[in-house]
Amino acid sequence: MKEDDYEQLYRRAKKMRINAKSLINTMQMGAFQSLYYGHGVEFSGVREYLLGDDVRAIDWNVTARIGRPYVKLYLEDRELQFFLIIDRSLSMRTGSGGKSKLDCANETGELISLVAEQSSSPLGAVFFSNEIEFACAPKIGKKHVQFVLTQFENINEKVKAGSILINALTGSVKLLKKRSLVFVISDFRIDGWKDSLAYLALRHDVIAVRINDSLDSELPDTGSIPFMDRESGKHKIFPTSSGLFRRAWRDADTQRRKEWKSACLRCGCMPLEISTSEDPAIVLSNFFTAKLSNEI
């Protein structure tokens, strides 16, 4: 690796760590955990009411049964567990502007990994394409996070067509032993994932991150140009000079995104879109700020 490459890598890593620290502050970890984990506490029992206790904590069922006021006790649990499910299939390796969807997905995943490291939270992950490329159960510690981060650089250049998103979703349920905050990062360009996503969302708090690229919705006016579907290998000629065709292309993408968002909400998870032209740190920060301000 050239000296300039090392310098660029160092600057990128430094920026990522700064962004992660900023994101932790935005998430307000205690408040964020309260939002996703039922106010951040786990029921542990009851005790008799004492002067000064919050009347909202009174357990009315126990109070009625015993005849004296009792309040609920909770065991605080500040540990927020992160889990990444990242799509590395062929369709993710496309993009415009020098940045692929996979680049954007990796950057998003690396950022969340650094949030886990800096907040001393367990981190686990599943990377998949047409097969499971990497999987690990959540663990805590800097060495473990560094190990996960190294996996982002291990890109299989000989990956075959196809996506096992469904397998990755169902397999993650088996891998996770406690409730986690799960980020599913994909372009969701296959069918049949809804039931598996809903099953995952029943047990965990899920954020579905759809990676988009400008070419998904806007085509340049460059005449008739060949397109190839990397998953199927099929070739087609598209008349991009036709305004009617470009509008139909844009409208079809708008409809797909609308249907995807609606499906995510029905599955019980939160939809979030990130474009390859956007900074994932800014998008995530805005997302968590809006979520916390609306619900806390």
mmCIF file with all atom_site columns, all heavy atoms in Angstrom, residues 40-58:
data_model
loop_
_atom_site.group_PDB
_atom_site.id
_atom_site.type_symbol
_atom_site.label_atom_id
_atom_site.label_alt_id
_atom_site.label_comp_id
_atom_site.label_asym_id
_atom_site.label_entity_id
_atom_site.label_seq_id
_atom_site.pdbx_PDB_ins_code
_atom_site.Cartn_x
_atom_site.Cartn_y
_atom_site.Cartn_z
_atom_site.occupancy
_atom_site.B_iso_or_equiv
_atom_site.pdbx_formal_charge
_atom_site.auth_seq_id
_atom_site.auth_comp_id
_atom_site.auth_asym_id
_atom_site.auth_atom_id
_atom_site.pdbx_PDB_model_num
ATOM 1   N N   . GLY A 1 40 ? -36.270 1.396  29.271 1.00 0.00 ? 40 GLY A N   1
ATOM 2   C CA  . GLY A 1 40 ? -34.948 1.104  29.774 1.00 0.00 ? 40 GLY A CA  1
ATOM 3   C C   . GLY A 1 40 ? -34.895 0.295  31.046 1.00 0.00 ? 40 GLY A C   1
ATOM 4   O O   . GLY A 1 40 ? -33.863 0.278  31.709 1.00 0.00 ? 40 GLY A O   1
ATOM 5   N N   . VAL A 1 41 ? -35.970 -0.349 31.436 1.00 0.00 ? 41 VAL A N   1
ATOM 6   C CA  . VAL A 1 41 ? -35.973 -1.073 32.702 1.00 0.00 ? 41 VAL A CA  1
ATOM 7   C C   . VAL A 1 41 ? -36.663 -2.417 32.533 1.00 0.00 ? 41 VAL A C   1
ATOM 8   O O   . VAL A 1 41 ? -37.463 -2.625 31.632 1.00 0.00 ? 41 VAL A O   1
ATOM 9   C CB  . VAL A 1 41 ? -36.699 -0.272 33.801 1.00 0.00 ? 41 VAL A CB  1
ATOM 10  C CG1 . VAL A 1 41 ? -35.882 0.934  34.244 1.00 0.00 ? 41 VAL A CG1 1
ATOM 11  C CG2 . VAL A 1 41 ? -38.065 0.188  33.327 1.00 0.00 ? 41 VAL A CG2 1
ATOM 12  N N   . GLU A 1 42 ? -36.324 -3.327 33.438 1.00 0.00 ? 42 GLU A N   1
ATOM 13  C CA  . GLU A 1 42 ? -36.912 -4.660 33.427 1.00 0.00 ? 42 GLU A CA  1
ATOM 14  C C   . GLU A 1 42 ? -37.604 -4.901 34.766 1.00 0.00 ? 42 GLU A C   1
ATOM 15  O O   . GLU A 1 42 ? -37.026 -4.653 35.837 1.00 0.00 ? 42 GLU A O   1
ATOM 16  C CB  . GLU A 1 42 ? -35.818 -5.699 33.205 1.00 0.00 ? 42 GLU A CB  1
ATOM 17  C CG  . GLU A 1 42 ? -36.317 -7.133 33.180 1.00 0.00 ? 42 GLU A CG  1
ATOM 18  C CD  . GLU A 1 42 ? -35.181 -8.107 32.977 1.00 0.00 ? 42 GLU A CD  1
ATOM 19  O OE1 . GLU A 1 42 ? -34.061 -7.669 32.665 1.00 0.00 ? 42 GLU A OE1 1
ATOM 20  O OE2 . GLU A 1 42 ? -35.427 -9.320 33.171 1.00 0.00 ? 42 GLU A OE2 1
ATOM 21  N N   . PHE A 1 43 ? -38.844 -5.354 34.747 1.00 0.00 ? 43 PHE A N   1
ATOM 22  C CA  . PHE A 1 43 ? -39.599 -5.580 35.977 1.00 0.00 ? 43 PHE A CA  1
ATOM 23  C C   . PHE A 1 43 ? -38.917 -6.624 36.846 1.00 0.00 ? 43 PHE A C   1
ATOM 24  O O   . PHE A 1 43 ? -38.517 -7.680 36.365 1.00 0.00 ? 43 PHE A O   1
ATOM 25  C CB  . PHE A 1 43 ? -41.013 -6.033 35.631 1.00 0.00 ? 43 PHE A CB  1
ATOM 26  C CG  . PHE A 1 43 ? -41.862 -6.339 36.842 1.00 0.00 ? 43 PHE A CG  1
ATOM 27  C CD1 . PHE A 1 43 ? -42.356 -5.309 37.619 1.00 0.00 ? 43 PHE A CD1 1
ATOM 28  C CD2 . PHE A 1 43 ? -42.139 -7.652 37.200 1.00 0.00 ? 43 PHE A CD2 1
ATOM 29  C CE1 . PHE A 1 43 ? -43.136 -5.573 38.724 1.00 0.00 ? 43 PHE A CE1 1
ATOM 30  C CE2 . PHE A 1 43 ? -42.917 -7.929 38.304 1.00 0.00 ? 43 PHE A CE2 1
ATOM 31  C CZ  . PHE A 1 43 ? -43.412 -6.881 39.079 1.00 0.00 ? 43 PHE A CZ  1
ATOM 32  N N   . SER A 1 44 ? -38.739 -6.325 38.157 1.00 0.00 ? 44 SER A N   1
ATOM 33  C CA  . SER A 1 44 ? -38.044 -7.263 39.042 1.00 0.00 ? 44 SER A CA  1
ATOM 34  C C   . SER A 1 44 ? -38.841 -7.638 40.290 1.00 0.00 ? 44 SER A C   1
ATOM 35  O O   . SER A 1 44 ? -38.448 -8.538 41.013 1.00 0.00 ? 44 SER A O   1
ATOM 36  C CB  . SER A 1 44 ? -36.695 -6.682 39.481 1.00 0.00 ? 44 SER A CB  1
ATOM 37  O OG  . SER A 1 44 ? -36.885 -5.496 40.234 1.00 0.00 ? 44 SER A OG  1
ATOM 38  N N   . GLY A 1 45 ? -39.970 -6.958 40.541 1.00 0.00 ? 45 GLY A N   1
ATOM 39  C CA  . GLY A 1 45 ? -40.760 -7.309 41.721 1.00 0.00 ? 45 GLY A CA  1
ATOM 40  C C   . GLY A 1 45 ? -41.539 -6.115 42.239 1.00 0.00 ? 45 GLY A C   1
ATOM 41  O O   . GLY A 1 45 ? -41.702 -5.107 41.541 1.00 0.00 ? 45 GLY A O   1
ATOM 42  N N   . VAL A 1 46 ? -42.033 -6.223 43.476 1.00 0.00 ? 46 VAL A N   1
ATOM 43  C CA  . VAL A 1 46 ? -42.781 -5.132 44.099 1.00 0.00 ? 46 VAL A CA  1
ATOM 44  C C   . VAL A 1 46 ? -42.293 -4.934 45.533 1.00 0.00 ? 46 VAL A C   1
ATOM 45  O O   . VAL A 1 46 ? -41.664 -5.817 46.118 1.00 0.00 ? 46 VAL A O   1
ATOM 46  C CB  . VAL A 1 46 ? -44.302 -5.418 44.109 1.00 0.00 ? 46 VAL A CB  1
ATOM 47  C CG1 . VAL A 1 46 ? -44.855 -5.503 42.705 1.00 0.00 ? 46 VAL A CG1 1
ATOM 48  C CG2 . VAL A 1 46 ? -44.615 -6.698 44.886 1.00 0.00 ? 46 VAL A CG2 1
ATOM 49  N N   . ARG A 1 47 ? -42.585 -3.775 46.091 1.00 0.00 ? 47 ARG A N   1
ATOM 50  C CA  . ARG A 1 47 ? -42.358 -3.507 47.517 1.00 0.00 ? 47 ARG A CA  1
ATOM 51  C C   . ARG A 1 47 ? -43.451 -2.577 48.004 1.00 0.00 ? 47 ARG A C   1
ATOM 52  O O   . ARG A 1 47 ? -44.159 -1.942 47.203 1.00 0.00 ? 47 ARG A O   1
ATOM 53  C CB  . ARG A 1 47 ? -40.985 -2.910 47.773 1.00 0.00 ? 47 ARG A CB  1
ATOM 54  C CG  . ARG A 1 47 ? -40.776 -1.529 47.189 1.00 0.00 ? 47 ARG A CG  1
ATOM 55  C CD  . ARG A 1 47 ? -39.590 -0.845 47.849 1.00 0.00 ? 47 ARG A CD  1
ATOM 56  N NE  . ARG A 1 47 ? -39.210 0.374  47.142 1.00 0.00 ? 47 ARG A NE  1
ATOM 57  C CZ  . ARG A 1 47 ? -39.845 1.538  47.244 1.00 0.00 ? 47 ARG A CZ  1
ATOM 58  N NH1 . ARG A 1 47 ? -40.946 1.651  48.016 1.00 0.00 ? 47 ARG A NH1 1
ATOM 59  N NH2 . ARG A 1 47 ? -39.424 2.591  46.573 1.00 0.00 ? 47 ARG A NH2 1
ATOM 60  N N   . GLU A 1 48 ? -43.567 -2.460 49.338 1.00 0.00 ? 48 GLU A N   1
ATOM 61  C CA  . GLU A 1 48 ? -44.606 -1.619 49.904 1.00 0.00 ? 48 GLU A CA  1
ATOM 62  C C   . GLU A 1 48 ? -44.325 -0.154 49.604 1.00 0.00 ? 48 GLU A C   1
ATOM 63  O O   . GLU A 1 48 ? -43.166 0.284  49.560 1.00 0.00 ? 48 GLU A O   1
ATOM 64  C CB  . GLU A 1 48 ? -44.692 -1.831 51.426 1.00 0.00 ? 48 GLU A CB  1
ATOM 65  C CG  . GLU A 1 48 ? -45.969 -1.277 52.041 1.00 0.00 ? 48 GLU A CG  1
ATOM 66  C CD  . GLU A 1 48 ? -46.210 -1.814 53.450 1.00 0.00 ? 48 GLU A CD  1
ATOM 67  O OE1 . GLU A 1 48 ? -45.448 -2.697 53.887 1.00 0.00 ? 48 GLU A OE1 1
ATOM 68  O OE2 . GLU A 1 48 ? -47.154 -1.344 54.095 1.00 0.00 ? 48 GLU A OE2 1
ATOM 69  N N   . TYR A 1 49 ? -45.386 0.581  49.370 1.00 0.00 ? 49 TYR A N   1
ATOM 70  C CA  . TYR A 1 49 ? -45.279 1.996  49.028 1.00 0.00 ? 49 TYR A CA  1
ATOM 71  C C   . TYR A 1 49 ? -44.664 2.788  50.176 1.00 0.00 ? 49 TYR A C   1
ATOM 72  O O   . TYR A 1 49 ? -44.997 2.594  51.341 1.00 0.00 ? 49 TYR A O   1
ATOM 73  C CB  . TYR A 1 49 ? -46.676 2.556  48.720 1.00 0.00 ? 49 TYR A CB  1
ATOM 74  C CG  . TYR A 1 49 ? -46.711 4.035  48.422 1.00 0.00 ? 49 TYR A CG  1
ATOM 75  C CD1 . TYR A 1 49 ? -46.507 4.514  47.136 1.00 0.00 ? 49 TYR A CD1 1
ATOM 76  C CD2 . TYR A 1 49 ? -46.955 4.965  49.445 1.00 0.00 ? 49 TYR A CD2 1
ATOM 77  C CE1 . TYR A 1 49 ? -46.543 5.876  46.853 1.00 0.00 ? 49 TYR A CE1 1
ATOM 78  C CE2 . TYR A 1 49 ? -46.984 6.324  49.176 1.00 0.00 ? 49 TYR A CE2 1
ATOM 79  C CZ  . TYR A 1 49 ? -46.775 6.768  47.873 1.00 0.00 ? 49 TYR A CZ  1
ATOM 80  O OH  . TYR A 1 49 ? -46.813 8.108  47.610 1.00 0.00 ? 49 TYR A OH  1
ATOM 81  N N   . LEU A 1 50 ? -43.715 3.686  49.845 1.00 0.00 ? 50 LEU A N   1
ATOM 82  C CA  . LEU A 1 50 ? -43.086 4.572  50.817 1.00 0.00 ? 50 LEU A CA  1
ATOM 83  C C   . LEU A 1 50 ? -43.392 6.011  50.454 1.00 0.00 ? 50 LEU A C   1
ATOM 84  O O   . LEU A 1 50 ? -43.560 6.345  49.276 1.00 0.00 ? 50 LEU A O   1
ATOM 85  C CB  . LEU A 1 50 ? -41.567 4.364  50.849 1.00 0.00 ? 50 LEU A CB  1
ATOM 86  C CG  . LEU A 1 50 ? -41.076 2.961  51.238 1.00 0.00 ? 50 LEU A CG  1
ATOM 87  C CD1 . LEU A 1 50 ? -39.562 2.889  51.115 1.00 0.00 ? 50 LEU A CD1 1
ATOM 88  C CD2 . LEU A 1 50 ? -41.518 2.619  52.653 1.00 0.00 ? 50 LEU A CD2 1
ATOM 89  N N   . LEU A 1 51 ? -43.454 6.868  51.469 1.00 0.00 ? 51 LEU A N   1
ATOM 90  C CA  . LEU A 1 51 ? -43.748 8.271  51.238 1.00 0.00 ? 51 LEU A CA  1
ATOM 91  C C   . LEU A 1 51 ? -42.735 8.864  50.258 1.00 0.00 ? 51 LEU A C   1
ATOM 92  O O   . LEU A 1 51 ? -41.532 8.711  50.425 1.00 0.00 ? 51 LEU A O   1
ATOM 93  C CB  . LEU A 1 51 ? -43.701 9.045  52.562 1.00 0.00 ? 51 LEU A CB  1
ATOM 94  C CG  . LEU A 1 51 ? -44.092 10.535 52.480 1.00 0.00 ? 51 LEU A CG  1
ATOM 95  C CD1 . LEU A 1 51 ? -45.558 10.670 52.058 1.00 0.00 ? 51 LEU A CD1 1
ATOM 96  C CD2 . LEU A 1 51 ? -43.858 11.225 53.824 1.00 0.00 ? 51 LEU A CD2 1
ATOM 97  N N   . GLY A 1 52 ? -43.237 9.491  49.228 1.00 0.00 ? 52 GLY A N   1
ATOM 98  C CA  . GLY A 1 52 ? -42.366 10.088 48.224 1.00 0.00 ? 52 GLY A CA  1
ATOM 99  C C   . GLY A 1 52 ? -42.272 9.273  46.943 1.00 0.00 ? 52 GLY A C   1
ATOM 100 O O   . GLY A 1 52 ? -41.749 9.764  45.931 1.00 0.00 ? 52 GLY A O   1
ATOM 101 N N   . ASP A 1 53 ? -42.743 8.018  46.965 1.00 0.00 ? 53 ASP A N   1
ATOM 102 C CA  . ASP A 1 53 ? -42.735 7.197  45.751 1.00 0.00 ? 53 ASP A CA  1
ATOM 103 C C   . ASP A 1 53 ? -43.680 7.781  44.706 1.00 0.00 ? 53 ASP A C   1
ATOM 104 O O   . ASP A 1 53 ? -44.699 8.401  45.037 1.00 0.00 ? 53 ASP A O   1
ATOM 105 C CB  . ASP A 1 53 ? -43.164 5.762  46.061 1.00 0.00 ? 53 ASP A CB  1
ATOM 106 C CG  . ASP A 1 53 ? -42.075 4.961  46.762 1.00 0.00 ? 53 ASP A CG  1
ATOM 107 O OD1 . ASP A 1 53 ? -40.898 5.332  46.606 1.00 0.00 ? 53 ASP A OD1 1
ATOM 108 O OD2 . ASP A 1 53 ? -42.406 3.984  47.443 1.00 0.00 ? 53 ASP A OD2 1
ATOM 109 N N   . ASP A 1 54 ? -43.354 7.566  43.455 1.00 0.00 ? 54 ASP A N   1
ATOM 110 C CA  . ASP A 1 54 ? -44.197 8.019  42.351 1.00 0.00 ? 54 ASP A CA  1
ATOM 111 C C   . ASP A 1 54 ? -45.473 7.175  42.323 1.00 0.00 ? 54 ASP A C   1
ATOM 112 O O   . ASP A 1 54 ? -45.418 5.948  42.214 1.00 0.00 ? 54 ASP A O   1
ATOM 113 C CB  . ASP A 1 54 ? -43.433 7.852  41.026 1.00 0.00 ? 54 ASP A CB  1
ATOM 114 C CG  . ASP A 1 54 ? -44.155 8.513  39.851 1.00 0.00 ? 54 ASP A CG  1
ATOM 115 O OD1 . ASP A 1 54 ? -45.371 8.765  39.946 1.00 0.00 ? 54 ASP A OD1 1
ATOM 116 O OD2 . ASP A 1 54 ? -43.488 8.755  38.830 1.00 0.00 ? 54 ASP A OD2 1
ATOM 117 N N   . VAL A 1 55 ? -46.615 7.837  42.427 1.00 0.00 ? 55 VAL A N   1
ATOM 118 C CA  . VAL A 1 55 ? -47.885 7.105  42.459 1.00 0.00 ? 55 VAL A CA  1
ATOM 119 C C   . VAL A 1 55 ? -48.123 6.346  41.152 1.00 0.00 ? 55 VAL A C   1
ATOM 120 O O   . VAL A 1 55 ? -48.884 5.378  41.110 1.00 0.00 ? 55 VAL A O   1
ATOM 121 C CB  . VAL A 1 55 ? -49.072 8.057  42.741 1.00 0.00 ? 55 VAL A CB  1
ATOM 122 C CG1 . VAL A 1 55 ? -48.964 8.653  44.132 1.00 0.00 ? 55 VAL A CG1 1
ATOM 123 C CG2 . VAL A 1 55 ? -49.157 9.152  41.687 1.00 0.00 ? 55 VAL A CG2 1
ATOM 124 N N   . ARG A 1 56 ? -47.463 6.772  40.076 1.00 0.00 ? 56 ARG A N   1
ATOM 125 C CA  . ARG A 1 56 ? -47.628 6.082  38.801 1.00 0.00 ? 56 ARG A CA  1
ATOM 126 C C   . ARG A 1 56 ? -46.999 4.693  38.816 1.00 0.00 ? 56 ARG A C   1
ATOM 127 O O   . ARG A 1 56 ? -47.269 3.870  37.942 1.00 0.00 ? 56 ARG A O   1
ATOM 128 C CB  . ARG A 1 56 ? -47.006 6.923  37.672 1.00 0.00 ? 56 ARG A CB  1
ATOM 129 C CG  . ARG A 1 56 ? -47.752 8.222  37.396 1.00 0.00 ? 56 ARG A CG  1
ATOM 130 C CD  . ARG A 1 56 ? -47.028 9.055  36.359 1.00 0.00 ? 56 ARG A CD  1
ATOM 131 N NE  . ARG A 1 56 ? -45.691 9.460  36.819 1.00 0.00 ? 56 ARG A NE  1
ATOM 132 C CZ  . ARG A 1 56 ? -44.834 10.182 36.104 1.00 0.00 ? 56 ARG A CZ  1
ATOM 133 N NH1 . ARG A 1 56 ? -45.189 10.593 34.888 1.00 0.00 ? 56 ARG A NH1 1
ATOM 134 N NH2 . ARG A 1 56 ? -43.647 10.498 36.576 1.00 0.00 ? 56 ARG A NH2 1
ATOM 135 N N   . ALA A 1 57 ? -46.134 4.433  39.819 1.00 0.00 ? 57 ALA A N   1
ATOM 136 C CA  . ALA A 1 57 ? -45.480 3.131  39.919 1.00 0.00 ? 57 ALA A CA  1
ATOM 137 C C   . ALA A 1 57 ? -46.281 2.139  40.753 1.00 0.00 ? 57 ALA A C   1
ATOM 138 O O   . ALA A 1 57 ? -45.862 0.989  40.920 1.00 0.00 ? 57 ALA A O   1
ATOM 139 C CB  . ALA A 1 57 ? -44.084 3.296  40.522 1.00 0.00 ? 57 ALA A CB  1
ATOM 140 N N   . ILE A 1 58 ? -47.421 2.550  41.263 1.00 0.00 ? 58 ILE A N   1
ATOM 141 C CA  . ILE A 1 58 ? -48.225 1.657  42.108 1.00 0.00 ? 58 ILE A CA  1
ATOM 142 C C   . ILE A 1 58 ? -48.743 0.478  41.288 1.00 0.00 ? 58 ILE A C   1
ATOM 143 O O   . ILE A 1 58 ? -49.260 0.642  40.180 1.00 0.00 ? 58 ILE A O   1
ATOM 144 C CB  . ILE A 1 58 ? -49.412 2.420  42.743 1.00 0.00 ? 58 ILE A CB  1
ATOM 145 C CG1 . ILE A 1 58 ? -48.902 3.454  43.746 1.00 0.00 ? 58 ILE A CG1 1
ATOM 146 C CG2 . ILE A 1 58 ? -50.385 1.450  43.423 1.00 0.00 ? 58 ILE A CG2 1
ATOM 147 C CD1 . ILE A 1 58 ? -50.007 4.300  44.374 1.00 0.00 ? 58 ILE A CD1 1
#
